Amino acid sequence: MADDHTQVQEFFTARAADWDARFPDDGPAFAAAVTEIGLRPGDAVLDAGCGTGRALPFLREAVGPGGTVIGADLTPAMLTAAVRAGRDRSGALVLADAGRLPLRGGVLDAVFGAGLVSHLSRPAEDLRELARVVRPGGRLALFHPVGRAALAARHGRRLTDDDLRAEPNLRPLLAGSGWRMTSYVDEDDRFLALAVRQD
């Protein structure tokens, strides 16, 4: 978990230029995760912590030309990389903290967050902010293109009981933040937790 925004920005600023080149095969996993959200044409969706915008084309395809796609990220360099990759054509890019979004309450149908949870400085409060901008019954997808064990191995770490993405931790965290978890998958080749905004 990040201690503050500066740490997160420094981490991603240093990696923004070659981020996509480091993970060239993730596209199908992003596409599959977006499909599972159940977006419909005309929906409004936020990619929270969008990074270089890898999900934006798939989100645009799901909501169609009449839908709204917003990508928000805390790190200017990641948004610059998204523009360089042409992904700003799929959605509006906004420099914003996921914990303080410049959106009215209840305006979105869904939020997509790839690799988001481990970078939230205040997980409960930040997830509550995501709930604020989603209508009751709207959806949340917390995704990563590899599972928890594979990601830990990639970083030379072991899984620990305090991992926020572990189901026994994530389910109550979401419940206390305005979400009800409806699905949880943690496999070698993907992590996907789906939740519904509670009334």
Side-chain angles (χ1 to χ4, degrees):
M1 184 170 55
D3 293 330
D4 58 42
H5 296 145
T6 303
Q7 181 182 347
V8 172
Q9 286 177 316
E10 289 175 355
F11 177 88
F12 285 108
T13 297
R15 294 160 175 80
D18 68 344
W19 188 261
D20 288 352
R22 293 175 63 198
F23 308 105
D25 302 322
D26 287 349
F30 273 81
V34 167
T35 298
E36 294 200 38
I37 303 172
L39 293 167
R40 296 174 297 242
D43 276 356
V45 60
L46 169 70
D47 184 356
C50 68
T52 62
R54 293 183 292 168
L56 297 179
F58 305 115
L59 294 170
R60 171 56 64 199
E61 184 177 341
V63 303
T68 300
V69 177
I70 302 166
D73 202 274
L74 187 63
T75 306
M78 292 299 259
L79 295 177
T80 297
V83 171
R84 195 176 315 115
R87 297 185 184 123
D88 56 322
R89 293 190 294 269
S90 296
L93 297 176
V94 179
L95 180 64
D97 174 3
R100 287 190 309 250
L101 293 165
L103 298 169
R104 294 189 321 273
V107 296
L108 300 174
D109 297 291
V111 173
F112 182 83
L116 179 68
V117 173
S118 58
H119 296 290
L120 296 176
S121 57
R122 304 171 310 147
E125 294 86 346
D126 294 346
L127 289 167
R128 196 170 298 120
E129 172 67 353
L130 296 180
R132 180 188 71 78
V133 298
V134 173
R135 64 171 174 77
R139 297 164 304 285
L140 171 69
L142 299 174
F143 165 74
H144 201 283
V146 297
R148 293 168 53 241
L151 185 62
R154 180 188 290 174
H155 294 292
R157 296 190 316 252
R158 291 186 176 188
L159 286 178
T160 60
D161 291 341
D162 64 348
D163 182 351
L164 287 180
R165 293 162 298 166
E167 186 173 9
N169 299 329
L170 187 58
R171 187 178 293 276
L173 175 64
L174 288 169
S177 302
W179 300 98
R180 177 177 54 84
M181 186 187 293
T182 59
S183 174
Y184 181 91
V185 176
D186 183 16
E187 301 168 342
D188 282 348
D189 59 352
R190 75 170 179 159
F191 173 90
L192 183 63
L194 300 176
V196 172
R197 169 74 167 91
Q198 301 178 81
D199 294 342

